[in-house]
Amino acid sequence: MSALVRLGAAACVAVVQVLLVAGGGLLLLGVMRKTRSRCEGRVGPPVRQPLLDVVKLVSKQRIRPAAASPVFVAGPVVVAATAVLVTAVAPLVTSDPPLARSTDFFAVVLVLLLGSVSLALAALDTATPFGGMGASRATTIGALTEPALLAVVLALSVPARTSNLPALVREGIVDPRVVASPGRILALCAFLVVIVAETGRLPVDNPQTHLELTMIHEAMVLEYSGPDLALVTVGESARLALLLGIFVNLAVPWGVAPGRGAAELAVGSAVLVAKVAIAGIAIATFEVFTAKLRLFRLPEVLAGAFVLALLGVASTLVTR
Amino acid sequence: MNGSVLGLELVPGAAAAAAGALFPGRHRVHLAAGLTVVTCAVAAVAAGAVLRSGHGLVVRASGILPLTGARLDLVPVSAVFVATTAVVAIAACIYWPGYAHHGLSSRTASGVLPIFVTSMLVVAEAGDAVTFLVAWELMAVSSLVLVLADQAGREETRSAAQWYAVMTSAGAAAVVLAVVLVCAHAGALSFATVAARAGGADRLPGGTRDVVLVLALVGFGSKAGMVPLHVWLPKAHPEAPSPVSALMSGAMVNLGIYGIVLVADRLLGGAPSWWWAAVMALGAASALFGAVQASVTSDLKRLLAYSTTDNMGLVLLALGLSGLLATGHETDLAVLALVTALLLVVNHAAFKGCLFLAAGSIQVATGTRELDRLGGLVRRMPATTAVFVVAALAVAAVPPFNGFVGEWLLFESLLRAIESSGVVVAVVAVVAVAALALTGGVSVMAFVKAVGIGALGRPRSAGAAAAREVPRAMVVGAGLLAAACVVLGIAPMLVLPSLERAAASVLGGARPAVLHGGIDVALAGLDGVLAPAWIAVGLALAAAVVVAARDRIGSRRPPRRVAAAWSCGRELQTARMQYTATSFAEPLERVFDDVLRPDRDVTVSHSEESRYFVEKVAYRSTVGDVVETALYRPAVDAVRWWGRQARRLQNGSVHRYLAYALVALLALFVVLA
């Protein structure tokens, strides 16, 4: 019986995290747009606008380009499914998520990579020049962010002696010195750069661009419409919320629920929402003051993140 | 199980070769392929028994080779390579009869292919130096014949065969010297005796041992496609008929790895740390170079060949780490790293064998292997495309396929090496993780390109537009290996305990104590686990939830419509407006400009009347192999120069030749006097 109860609690945690990240991700987009607008002296759309957009999209007709195959249809599903899977088992609301022992950071990175790969393949499947352009650019940036991200995973894992994600979060709660260690600070700086690149924010990609020739991510999803576009939007915003959630829990691990009780989950959710919102507002404010970088300047930024993370490893080795 | 099983497997192999060479009519291919499958099945069963029990099988046949006889000794570590070779060969032999309508059906080809397969099995099973070297040479020669089997008339094929012949002969010379030096010192031919004496007092003196190790690295490394000895690989693999490419890339290059394990770990009982560090450095260089080259080439099979260099580089990385840890007496971690190397070998055999077979199907169906002329295959050849996509995702190391498990294990071994060893190992391991991470990112690019440009979108040529699904045998042959990718990706613990037993037997670990777990992969002394089966189940569940949400919410919407692509409102859309492999890789090519040194040429011709009107723009861009142009071209040129100089001695004048004879005679007298 107790096994059944534990299973139920685990499922509850998964559902709470998925709903929080899927819905909250859209609101996060709204908050970030609102912040930008206000900083630029505009009123801007309401915070719930992305949510309304998705609701509208869901009831629209699905259109498939003539040349496209099932790969095109599978793209958004895989993006959303990988985000849902990682969200369900990541230490977001609680540091004891379902399947906590097997939530490996390295595996998380590669599961999310599956989403990026399937979206790039879907873009090439449309047989349009813009699809190919977006896929080529996104894959190039991905080819350079993935090494930086793996270096971040390494830099976080070496002092903790494990690459298990919940263990990394718990470590910070148990021993606050870990959070302030130079290794982790350097790694988290690199992680932030990676998140910005991975989720297509400025200065890597402009999520609000209307000029097709400068698009990266938006060019890949130009052919989607209706519920498919809704899935892409939800999936991508969930990725942003998820990565930011992991980031804030590694950087500021306090407030993460230690267990799976209802009260704990409520407090944990509130704290998570607050932390992610602050991070989102900070990123949006930063975006106001930056312009998009040239595509061929990006390798320098990402190589910088890579080196930062490796410096983090080095500092851990020196100080141990 | 009795050791004579090993001898038994040679019988169908020889029969297959005879049948292929002598049997009249079309059915010789079926007969030869069927008999080769029997050989491989026997070998696989024997290897499976050895891996399960941990006890070797030995058989001596005095009649087969003159003077010394032949000796087969199937120990656990060679069983890993025998089983891998056998599975790849079975898939290739199922595929072969379907391919035979398009090539590889001559008497020569049907006779030599079974010899090639059998010799690869014997290389891994060989129990003494003579058997090993004879089989090694037989493998080299038979594969050379097979490269030339179909298109000996083509200039590219001939040049590729020439490169392959030179590199493989030079490599074989190094291998012969290394093995002979070891055996001569030990005074025995049998590997078991040599290995037993390596640990004793009369071990090899330092200088000789270093020479042996360097020779072994050159000889076996060139077979494994290690940079800078890889140059034959991107030439010979694409030009060979596809079942042969699959065998070469899925099975033969592995034997280079086996050779390094055999000489360094088994025969010498370990190597100094500088040598293992060199193995790691060369492995990292191979991985990076192979990945970058694969991501910019637009020839499908050349891409796969460079990716082989990349994957073998990762294997060498793991192997070098294992040796480095073993010299530091970290036996448990060394076993883990060797298990990783073996798993990477097995994984590579599965996905690369599959990819080469699928690429062969694509080439047969479309008449080209240029990615820039492919596209739209997902509609025309759905089964082949599905197989191709699975194997490509496996190489890209995304879950739930086998490449992912291999990279995770490599990452974990490097992580644990950093944590628990000395400073040198830690620094080397950090650099190795950096190389692994970069390689992973770049090879994703290569395989998104291979699938996205090659199979998806619209056909870019008439040949691709006319493609039809290939015969069922070809789909089944490639599909067998794709299934292996999925099974190994979801349930790696099916093979990992066997690999661990093999690794422990090589490194002398008393008991395998590194890997635990039933479904999950758990490492001793590590908090977390990897749960590949749960990832697969979770992905399926999440996808089901997402699809249900998509279809249930707002289900009153109008049914789906198929329309022309929007493409920002453009009316005219042709297949030529799609991205090509070249344009897809262009950003990355610019990023790695310094490594690749592409040769670009833009010629703008202006109109006669005014410079402001451009008549035409010609753009040409080729990416060669930097190592080849920087290292091999000067050597080849020097040899040519010598040849030209030597030609001056012969001007056709009989008087001059008589004078040479006279001078030589006089010189002889002077010397003798």
Side-chain angles (χ1 to χ4, degrees):
Chain A
M1 194 61 202
S2 74
L4 214 60
V5 170
R6 260 184 293 150
L7 196 69
C12 267
V13 172
V15 170
V16 165
Q17 295 201 136
V18 168
L19 289 180
L20 201 62
V21 166
L26 289 171
L27 290 180
L28 178 68
L29 275 191
V31 168
M32 290 174 82
R33 282 185 199 159
K34 192 79 176 172
T35 313
R36 257 190 94 170
S37 312
R38 279 294 160 88
C39 288
E40 289 164 349
R42 298 183 281 122
V43 176
V47 169
R48 64 176 196 287
Q49 189 62 48
L51 207 59
L52 299 177
D53 289 346
V54 164
V55 169
K56 182 184 72 183
L57 282 173
V58 164
S59 61
K60 293 223 162 191
Q61 188 178 25
R62 296 172 73 191
I63 299 175
R64 186 171 64 90
S69 70
V71 175
F72 174 80
V73 184
V77 175
V78 178
V79 170
T82 51
V84 164
L85 172 63
V86 174
T87 307
V89 298
L92 296 172
V93 171
T94 163
S95 64
D96 184 23
L99 297 174
R101 274 193 75 211
S102 32
T103 309
D104 188 88
F105 205 170
F106 187 85
V108 163
V109 169
L110 289 184
V111 170
L112 290 177
L113 178 69
L114 176 64
S116 320
V117 166
S118 64
L119 202 60
L121 288 180
L124 285 167
D125 196 32
T126 60
T128 61
F130 292 111
M133 194 176 72
S136 165
R137 291 174 180 175
T139 317
T140 305
I141 295 174
L144 301 169
T145 37
E146 207 212 327
L149 190 47
L150 291 184
V152 169
V153 175
L154 180 75
L156 293 169
S157 310
V158 167
R161 297 174 161 263
T162 175
S163 53
N164 185 266
L165 194 49
L168 291 176
V169 172
R170 275 198 300 270
E171 193 201 16
I173 303 176
V174 173
D175 185 3
R177 277 176 307 172
V178 173
V179 179
S181 68
R184 185 171 274 211
I185 291 172
L186 285 169
L188 288 178
C189 289
F191 192 22
L192 200 57
V193 177
V194 167
I195 292 175
V196 166
E198 190 80 351
T199 55
R201 311 296 307 185
L202 283 171
V204 174
D205 185 12
N206 185 356
Q208 279 158 305
T209 181
H210 294 289
L211 179 61
E212 291 88 351
L213 288 176
T214 65
M215 285 177 175
I216 298 177
H217 176 259
E218 294 300 313
M220 284 201 290
V221 301
L222 274 177
E223 297 300 328
Y224 284 114
S225 56
D228 291 316
L229 185 58
L231 269 190
V232 172
T233 315
V234 173
E236 292 293 325
S237 63
R239 270 169 87 108
L240 174 65
L242 168 68
L243 286 171
L244 277 182
I246 294 176
F247 171 79
V248 293
N249 280 358
L250 286 169
V252 195
W254 301 285
V256 180
R260 293 173 180 174
E264 285 173 306
L265 289 188
V267 174
S269 308
V271 174
L272 179 76
V273 168
K275 286 195 288 193
V276 171
I278 292 171
I281 290 171
I283 290 181
T285 318
F286 169 75
E287 284 189 323
V288 175
F289 299 101
T290 45
K292 186 166 173 284
L293 271 180
R294 277 190 65 206
L295 185 65
F296 294 107
R297 294 289 304 283
L298 288 180
E300 296 164 25
V301 176
L302 296 170
F306 187 51
V307 171
L308 264 186
L310 289 184
L311 276 178
V313 183
S315 79
T316 312
L317 291 181
V318 169
T319 52
R320 80 173 173 192
Chain B
M1 190 178 281
N2 197 310
S4 53
V5 175
L6 294 179
L8 199 66
E9 93 195 16
L10 299 179
V11 176
L22 304 174
F23 203 75
R26 292 201 50 94
H27 288 291
R28 62 170 164 255
V29 169
H30 291 96
L31 203 59
L35 286 168
T36 313
V37 168
V38 173
T39 295
C40 293
V42 173
V45 167
V50 168
L51 281 173
R52 182 119 33 86
S53 69
H55 301 298
L57 292 175
V58 185
V59 64
R60 267 190 66 89
S62 48
I64 293 183
L65 291 173
L67 295 179
T68 56
R71 183 188 170 90
L72 298 180
D73 182 2
L74 191 63
V75 292
V77 69
S78 44
V80 173
F81 289 87
V82 169
T84 314
T85 307
V87 171
V88 174
I90 287 173
C93 284
I94 294 174
Y95 180 94
W96 184 18
Y99 188 84
H101 298 284
H102 307 276
L104 213 62
S105 58
S106 65
R107 278 171 195 279
T108 320
S110 343
V112 172
L113 199 134
I115 297 180
F116 178 43
V117 171
T118 314
S119 63
M120 285 196 289
L121 293 173
V122 175
V123 164
E125 288 166 355
D128 71 7
V130 176
T131 315
F132 180 80
L133 293 175
V134 167
W136 185 266
E137 202 54 46
L138 201 58
M139 172 180 87
V141 172
S142 54
S143 57
L144 179 62
V145 171
L146 289 172
V147 168
L148 281 167
D150 275 350
Q151 298 189 303
R154 263 182 54 152
E155 182 53 41
E156 291 90 342
T157 314
R158 279 214 303 270
S159 153
Q162 218 165 32
W163 274 91
Y164 180 44
V166 171
M167 293 303 291
T168 198
S169 318
V175 166
V176 169
L177 269 177
V179 172
V180 165
L181 274 174
V182 177
C183 291
H185 181 80
L189 284 173
S190 146
F191 286 157
T193 321
V194 175
R197 290 186 191 167
D202 57 340
R203 60 189 320 164
L204 223 52
T208 321
R209 188 197 55 186
D210 292 353
V211 171
V212 167
L213 285 170
V214 170
L215 283 172
L217 190 56
V218 168
F220 293 122
S222 80
K223 190 56 82 182
M226 178 183 77
V227 167
L229 305 169
H230 69 282
V231 281
W232 63 273
L233 213 137
K235 293 175 186 294
H237 283 192
E239 292 302 329
S242 289
V244 179
S245 317
L247 284 170
M248 285 170 84
S249 181
M252 190 180 73
V253 295
N254 298 344
L255 296 174
I257 304 295
Y258 171 70
I260 292 178
V261 175
L262 174 74
V263 170
D265 283 330
R266 232 184 118 204
L267 297 187
L268 294 179
S273 45
W274 63 264
W275 188 76
W276 289 118
V279 171
M280 281 186 85
L282 289 170
S286 308
L288 274 176
F289 186 78
V292 172
Q293 285 282 0
S295 65
V296 297
T297 184
S298 62
D299 177 331
L300 178 57
K301 284 178 77 177
R302 197 173 147 88
L303 182 154
L304 298 180
Y306 270 119
S307 159
T308 300
T309 290
D310 159 9
N311 285 289
M312 285 297 123
L314 294 182
V315 175
L316 288 172
L317 204 61
L319 196 58
L321 180 72
S322 149
L324 213 53
L325 290 166
T327 49
H329 302 293
E330 298 262 13
T331 312
D332 272 6
L333 286 186
V335 168
L336 177 62
L338 191 54
V339 170
T340 309
L342 293 177
L343 182 68
L344 289 172
V345 164
V346 172
N347 284 346
H348 174 255
F351 53 61
K352 203 53 68 63
C354 177
L355 281 169
F356 268 113
L357 292 182
S361 303
I362 291 173
Q363 194 179 357
V364 160
T366 63
T368 182
R369 47 173 215 256
E370 265 304 311
L371 286 173
D372 289 349
R373 302 176 58 77
L374 291 174
L377 301 181
V378 62
R379 292 284 187 80
R380 292 164 182 81
M381 322 168 56
T384 301
T385 304
V387 164
F388 188 65
V389 169
V390 166
L393 289 177
V395 190
V398 293
F401 304 105
N402 59 353
F404 163 65
V405 182
E407 294 220 347
W408 181 79
L409 261 186
L410 183 52
F411 183 81
E412 289 296 329
S413 344
L414 288 166
L415 176 62
R416 301 198 61 203
I418 295 172
E419 286 161 2
S420 43
S421 290
V423 179
V424 178
V425 177
V427 171
V428 170
V430 171
V431 176
V433 172
L436 166 70
L438 259 176
T439 309
V442 175
S443 65
V444 169
M445 179 94 188
F447 283 93
V448 168
K449 183 180 74 176
V451 172
I453 305 285
L456 307 181
R458 281 204 263 171
R460 291 175 178 78
S461 68
R468 289 281 168 277
E469 186 61 274
V470 289
R472 196 178 299 154
M474 296 167 81
V475 176
V476 171
L480 187 70
L481 292 175
C485 292
V486 176
V487 170
L488 287 174
I490 292 176
M493 286 308 275
L494 286 179
V495 297
L496 279 174
S498 303
L499 298 184
E500 188 179 26
R501 222 166 287 137
S505 77
V506 170
L507 293 171
R511 62 202 158 78
V514 193
L515 289 153
H516 305 287
I519 309 172
D520 300 345
V521 185
L523 304 177
L526 197 72
D527 197 12
V529 297
L530 182 74
W534 285 114
I535 290 177
V537 171
L539 276 175
L541 264 179
V545 168
V546 166
V547 169
R550 183 192 67 191
D551 292 343
R552 283 293 152 79
I553 306 173
S555 55
R556 274 178 301 169
R557 62 175 164 255
R560 190 166 72 180
R561 186 157 65 93
V562 176
W566 177 61
S567 191
C568 303
R570 193 183 295 271
E571 286 269 312
L572 174 77
Q573 291 175 28
T574 68
R576 287 203 56 182
M577 288 162 70
Q578 296 175 91
Y579 256 50
T580 60
T582 315
S583 50
F584 186 81
E586 203 266 354
L588 201 78
E589 191 183 307
R590 281 217 222 174
V591 173
F592 290 104
D593 220 17
D594 295 335
V595 185
L596 292 167
R597 310 264 176 85
D599 183 14
R600 287 201 202 94
D601 194 15
V602 185
T603 321
V604 182
S605 9
H606 300 281
S607 123
E608 297 248 321
E609 287 77 28
S610 163
R611 272 191 51 78
Y612 295 105
F613 293 97
V614 173
E615 208 141 71
K616 66 172 183 185
V617 180
Y619 178 81
R620 191 182 55 81
S621 163
T622 46
V623 185
D625 189 313
V626 177
V627 176
E628 191 188 321
T629 42
L631 218 64
Y632 287 81
R633 285 291 159 206
V636 171
D637 289 347
V639 171
R640 288 231 173 96
W641 183 82
W642 262 108
R644 273 199 302 277
Q645 300 305 313
R647 207 157 38 179
R648 284 194 200 160
L649 294 172
Q650 297 182 318
N651 64 348
S653 145
V654 179
H655 298 108
R656 196 188 258 203
Y657 294 164
L658 286 174
Y660 288 157
L662 186 64
V663 170
L665 207 59
L666 285 176
L668 191 66
F669 285 146
V670 171
V671 171
L672 289 179

